[in-house]
Amino acid sequence: MTTPLVALSIAGTDSGGAAGLAADLATFAALGAHGACAVTAVTAQDTTGVGRIVPLAAADVQAQVDAVLGDLPVGVVKTGMLGSDEVAAVVAGISGIPVVVDPVLTATSGAQLGSDEVVAAYREVVLPGATVITPNRDEAVRLTGLDPRTPALELAAALHELGPAVVLTGGDPRAATCGDTVMEGSGAVTVLEHDTIRTCNDHGTGCTFSAALAVHLGNGTDLLTAVHRAQAFVSAALTTSSTWELGRGRGPVAHIFVPTTQEN
Ligand SMILES: Nc1ncnc2c1ncn2[C@@H]1O[C@H](COP(=O)(O)OP(=O)(O)OP(=O)(O)O)[C@@H](O)[C@H]1O
Ligand SMILES: Cc1ncc(COP(=O)(O)O)c(N)n1
């Protein structure tokens, strides 16, 4: 008998199946982990935008988290869209398990997915207990309140001061390379650069990256190696989706047909 890694995603749904819970659960499965989930919000969303957002009450999210933690040996928690400061407090109440926080505040399409109250809750209650946070530049600027032109290293340092290790992601479809700035718990900094995959089917890259990172960390992999493997997974997924024609907007990252080797 074996027990697989159990990864719990606390996130919103994306009806288009690209981002949020769909991305997390597909990534967990592709990397050999069992995915459990607690839904925070339901979104009516497609490749072109977000139409409607229905947040769940914190008590409903708490009940899902309690059900999962009360029964399954969860090895890692990954959070996405939280929807409210009350739900952020539910995440803050989890202890003794590594928590990977993807501070979802804005969708690829530009839709706002996090209020100022949620931003404050990240700073005050979520980040002090988090293992690692994986913001993109816009999210890091919003969370720190720093000038949008602030260098990546300073943004990462400001978040690191709040508690967690930081992976400031730098996905840019127009650049030749993408660079992710990693600040470990010790404060050591490494910039991991890799080739940009040319595609407009990149909806869900942030969720996919954080979910892959969570699986590797849950398996006991060190942060730098875990980031490297999560990048490789996203690149493999984007290589597949670059051949797709799906939807009228920014199409979904491919979570299927991704080779699952030791390297990703
Ligand atoms: N076109 C690309 N080619 C290769 N890697 C990419 C590309 N776009 C993003 N990545 C990688 O994907 C990971 C997620 O980064 P990104 O900065 O895109 O997150 P994000 O902005 O939160 O994503 P999204 O909001 O689109 O879900 C990072 O490791 C980044 O380097
Ligand atoms: C429910 C939900 N969670 C997260 C995202 C962010 O993903 P992206 O930045 O790729 O739009 C999203 N659009 N929807």
Side-chain angles (χ1 to χ4, degrees), residues 108 136 169 171 178 180 194-197 202 205-206 209 231 234 238:
T108 305
N136 61 25
T169 64
C178 299
D180 299 330
H194 56 108
D195 289 342
T196 302
I197 313 294
D202 60 355
T205 48
F209 173 79
Q231 283 177 340
V234 171
L238 287 172

Side-chain angles (χ1 to χ4, degrees), residues 37-99:
C37 61
V39 182
T40 59
V42 174
T43 75
Q45 185 174 171
D46 61 18
T47 62
T48 64
V50 182
R52 192 173 160 83
I53 300 174
V54 183
L56 264 72
D60 298 325
V61 178
Q62 184 74 63
Q64 297 172 75
V65 169
D66 288 347
V68 175
L69 294 184
D71 185 41
L72 298 174
V74 174
V76 67
V77 172
K78 184 260 169 187
T79 70
M81 176 184 176
L82 297 181
S84 71
D85 50 347
E86 289 94 349
V87 169
V90 172
V91 171
I94 297 172
S95 61
I97 305 171
V99 179

